Amino acid sequence: MRPVVLARMRRDVSVVLAGAAGQGIETVGGMLSTVLKDSGNNVFTTREFMSRIRGGTNTLQVRVSSHRVAAYCLRTDIAVPLDRTAIPHLAKYSRLQESTAIVGEAEAVPEEYQRRDRVHLVEFTQMARELGSKVYSNTIAAGVILTLFNADRDAGRAYLTERFAAKGPEVVQKNLEAYERGVMVGKRLTSEGLIFQIDREESVKEELILSGTDAVSLGAIAGGCNFVSSYPMSPSTGVLTFLAQRSQEFGIVVDQAEDEIAAINKGIGAWYAGARAIVTTSGGGFALMNEGLSLAGMTETPIVIHLAQRPGPATGLPTRTEQGDLKHFLNAGHGEFARAAFAPGTLHDAFHLTRRAFDLADRYQVPVAILTDQFLLDSSWNVPMIDLSDMSTEKHLVETDDAYRRYRLTHDGVSPRGVPGHGAGLVVVDSDEHDEDGHITEDLRVRSEMVRKRLHRKMELLRRDSLPPEVSGAKKPDRLIIAWGSNYHVMREALEISGRTDTGLLHFRQVYPLHESVAGMLGDADEVMIAENNATSQFAAVIHLETGVRVPDSNRLLKYDGMPFSVEEVVGFLNR
């Protein structure tokens, strides 16, 4: 085989592992990202997987970079196929290029690819069997890849020692031997020219690797969450699992409900009793929560809903990504009542917006949604430590007295919220129309007053308290491209690569209600564009409704095949 020098110095390298579920992709990916970060490299990991326990073809992309990255890209510098479906799968979706180096076993590399220059055959399984079991092949593979980046060898050994400590010293020792075998193979490949040198930052070693799921869950804890109810549904389940695993430490009551109808009603009941609750679900589950959502609106009970978007309708593509539930949330429930929705674009957003959702729900006694998606939740990257210096939470409960009226009409529309047993007053709540005392009424004058209170006045407050979009890119742009939620990083990176000095990015982390400044921002641009992961440009419709500004059809980049935008796709759109 002719040795090929792929790169002496790169700013960013994309490694893609592909194979069937159950082959250990996550194991290898976890070791790569941790050890590379501990070596001073910036890392970003994202996953593409099928909705099945075993089989199919899954991929895991690890971007190793000298600068922060958090976006999916089509470019593959190193492909590691774990079975024969891997290479055809990557080729089918344009994720293999002529420059891609393939490192894998002969049986995993189709013959037509084995004739290429950039193929490096390594018999992982045979080497693992020599150590006693083929299960060590993943550790060998990790050792090979880490050596191509000259990763800290001791960091690799420390990772394995901690990772397998619970399985006993013999398992630890075998994995260390497997790792060293991988290192030896890696050194051979580097001597053949397959080596990547990435600038490192010492400070990265002290940073955290978090996923979107981690960030939302930690934000909930910081927001004072002490009750979670949910019926498991991908990709939202990770938040339920995270909170359940830490329930003892943080005093969180966890209820895996019998269905989503019960889940949201239990969450409402928890807030009614004075707890701070979150329900976590996805599109199909949220559909079942609609009546509960209306109950929260009518009773003015706070509720925080984590709505993890995936392609629908119905079961759709349950393990893929989409931004298809924005209008679903905004239009959900019968009747009219106030609500707010956040859409995190970064891990810090996911943490702080989730925390803010609890305070906002409590402050105005309304439903607040955190709209994430599979891409954000199942991706992870390194970030600086989250500032926890101000972790105080707002408390808006009042101690009731004999004159307490749950729905007292106030100037701003927010009634004092008491809970049963906290004070001498009686807390009466009714899903029927009610008077200030909470008793059922059909007095039409009272009805009108209550609608103005729980809808109009609260929407005014929510809008006044809304977050403005973030502006980046060109300082005085002629063009503005709009993005929301998880498309933040891919837009930032694509804009930088495109070299467009006439284009700015307007990223929305609060998607409803919109900040009052939005209409002016859009009105100042000569051209407005938008990129969304749905088929009908749902956020463009919201902007049109809220501001009167319409994004032309020809200026909409829409993707709805279940995959996130790649950097290359967005660059092409910007430079079309």
Side-chain angles (χ1 to χ4, degrees):
M1 184 178 303
R2 181 166 60 88
V4 177
V5 177
L6 282 178
R8 288 300 183 193
M9 184 65 75
R10 295 283 297 271
R11 293 188 66 207
D12 175 26
V13 174
S14 165
V15 182
V16 176
L17 301 109
Q23 283 196 292
I25 291 176
E26 287 294 328
T27 302
V28 180
M31 183 172 178
L32 291 181
S33 57
T34 302
V35 176
L36 287 166
K37 193 276 293 182
D38 289 345
S39 301
N41 295 117
N42 290 285
V43 292
F44 166 74
T45 304
T46 190
R47 297 155 178 82
E48 171 228 357
F49 53 99
M50 294 183 172
S51 178
R52 59 190 71 178
I53 303 301
R54 296 188 68 87
T57 303
N58 300 343
T59 68
L60 184 144
Q61 179 180 62
V62 181
R63 292 182 66 183
V64 189
S65 178
S66 60
H67 56 289
R68 296 190 189 280
V69 291
Y72 167 73
C73 69
L74 291 175
R75 172 175 49 83
T76 299
D77 298 300
I78 305 174
V80 184
L82 300 181
D83 67 12
R84 289 190 70 82
T85 70
I87 296 298
H89 179 83
L90 294 175
K92 181 179 180 181
Y93 296 105
S94 305
R95 299 180 67 185
L96 286 181
Q97 298 82 38
E98 286 298 320
S99 59
T100 303
I102 298 174
V103 179
E105 298 192 70
E107 63 180 26
V109 181
E111 291 183 3
E112 63 269 30
Y113 284 89
Q114 291 191 23
R115 293 189 289 270
R116 294 188 176 188
D117 288 336
R118 300 176 190 273
V119 174
H120 303 265
L121 300 180
V122 180
E123 296 306 319
F124 294 119
T125 303
Q126 178 58 36
M127 295 169 64
R129 284 184 175 137
E130 291 171 3
L131 290 171
S133 171
K134 66 178 183 179
V135 300
Y136 301 117
S137 59
N138 290 331
T139 302
I140 296 173
V144 173
I145 302 303
L146 288 169
T147 305
L148 302 184
F149 292 93
N150 193 29
D152 186 331
R153 198 165 173 174
D154 290 338
R157 294 180 65 85
Y159 174 88
L160 291 169
T161 301
E162 181 178 350
R163 172 77 172 74
F164 294 105
K167 295 189 176 183
E170 183 177 352
V171 174
V172 171
Q173 183 57 36
K174 285 292 185 182
N175 276 281
L176 290 174
E177 292 177 22
Y179 175 59
E180 293 299 335
R181 291 220 178 183
V183 170
M184 296 306 294
V185 174
K187 286 184 174 180
R188 174 172 62 80
L189 297 183
T190 60
S191 70
E192 296 173 358
L194 184 61
I195 183 170
F196 296 88
Q197 299 177 15
I198 306 289
D199 284 344
R200 293 174 175 167
E201 298 176 41
E202 196 65 24
S203 59
V204 169
K205 297 180 181 178
E206 305 303 320
E207 294 189 349
L208 302 170
I209 292 182
L210 293 178
S211 68
T213 294
D214 297 336
V216 169
S217 305
L218 290 168
I221 294 172
C225 175
N226 52 16
F227 184 89
V228 56
S229 56
S230 169
Y231 185 77
M233 189 172 189
S234 298
S236 70
T237 308
V239 171
L240 173 66
T241 304
F242 187 104
L243 294 177
Q245 290 172 337
R246 291 153 183 85
S247 59
Q248 296 284 328
E249 185 177 358
F250 293 102
I252 301 170
V253 174
V254 180
D255 189 330
Q256 181 175 319
E258 61 268 36
D259 57 35
E260 286 85 354
I261 298 172
I264 191 168
N265 285 321
K266 289 179 177 179
I268 293 169
W271 277 97
Y272 170 71
R276 286 196 149 205
I278 189 172
V279 294
T280 178
T281 189
S282 295
F286 181 66
L288 293 173
M289 294 183 175
N290 276 210
E291 187 171 4
L293 184 73
S294 291
L295 177 63
M298 173 56 99
T299 59
E300 300 182 55
T301 306
I303 186 71
V304 175
I305 301 164
H306 172 230
L307 175 48
Q309 300 169 98
R310 68 188 207 187
T315 309
L317 296 171
T319 59
R320 307 288 176 159
T321 199
E322 195 164 274
Q323 294 179 309
D325 289 330
L326 172 59
K327 291 173 73 174
H328 184 188
F329 173 74
L330 298 183
N331 297 322
H334 51 287
E336 301 167 302
F337 52 93
R339 68 192 79 186
F342 296 117
T346 69
L347 294 178
H348 279 80
D349 275 355
F351 175 84
H352 289 293
L353 293 179
T354 305
R355 178 189 168 207
R356 181 180 176 82
F358 280 86
D359 286 343
L360 204 68
D362 199 349
R363 191 183 310 157
Y364 299 126
Q365 304 168 27
V366 296
V368 180
I370 310 295
L371 293 175
T372 63
D373 53 45
Q374 182 271 329
F375 171 69
L376 177 73
L377 293 175
D378 291 336
S379 298
S380 55
W381 61 95
N382 61 288
V383 290
M385 292 288 182
I386 296 174
D387 182 4
L388 302 178
S389 58
D390 179 17
M391 286 295 102
S392 59
T393 56
E394 296 180 11
K395 296 290 186 180
H396 295 278
L397 291 176
V398 299
E399 184 174 348
T400 61
D401 55 25
D402 291 339
Y404 178 72
R405 311 179 84 182
R406 173 64 186 91
Y407 298 107
R408 182 162 63 85
L409 294 171
T410 62
H411 176 70
D412 62 5
V414 179
S415 305
R417 186 166 71 93
V419 297
H422 183 52
L426 184 63
V427 180
V428 180
V429 171
D430 202 313
S431 66
D432 285 72
E433 192 56 87
H434 41 255
D435 60 18
E436 292 183 80
D437 290 318
H439 296 305
I440 184 171
T441 182
E442 293 197 26
D443 184 319
L444 303 185
R445 181 188 57 81
V446 173
R447 157 72 182 180
S448 296
E449 288 178 342
M450 286 296 166
V451 171
R452 284 194 288 272
K453 162 186 156 57
R454 63 176 171 253
L455 175 64
H456 295 142
R457 290 176 187 164
K458 287 191 178 183
M459 282 307 303
E460 289 174 13
L461 295 172
L462 287 170
R463 194 177 303 281
R464 196 180 307 163
D465 228 356
S466 62
L467 301 172
E470 179 184 314
V471 185
S472 57
K475 292 185 178 178
K476 294 183 178 179
D478 298 323
R479 308 193 310 172
L480 274 179
I481 183 164
I482 298 168
W484 62 282
S486 67
N487 285 329
Y488 175 79
H489 287 289
V490 70
M491 293 297 154
R492 290 287 302 262
E493 184 172 344
L495 198 55
E496 181 182 347
I497 292 174
S498 72
R500 301 287 307 214
T501 57
D502 61 347
T503 306
L505 170 64
L506 205 59
H507 178 265
F508 290 77
R509 53 183 175 164
Q510 179 162 353
V511 288
Y512 190 81
L514 299 185
H515 191 267
E516 60 183 6
S517 65
V518 174
M521 291 180 180
L522 296 176
D524 290 340
D526 294 336
E527 185 179 13
V528 179
M529 311 156 74
I530 196 167
E532 297 186 66
N533 283 109
N534 58 60
T536 57
S537 203
Q538 295 187 17
F539 192 50
V542 173
I543 288 174
H544 189 199
L545 187 66
E546 291 273 299
T547 69
V549 176
R550 184 179 184 280
V551 182
D553 292 347
S554 58
N555 284 3
R556 300 178 181 185
L557 176 62
L558 306 177
K559 186 172 185 179
Y560 39 89
D561 63 358
M563 291 292 288
F565 283 117
S566 69
V567 174
E568 293 89 342
E569 287 171 315
V570 181
V571 171
F573 178 68
L574 292 171
N575 289 333
R576 60 184 175 160

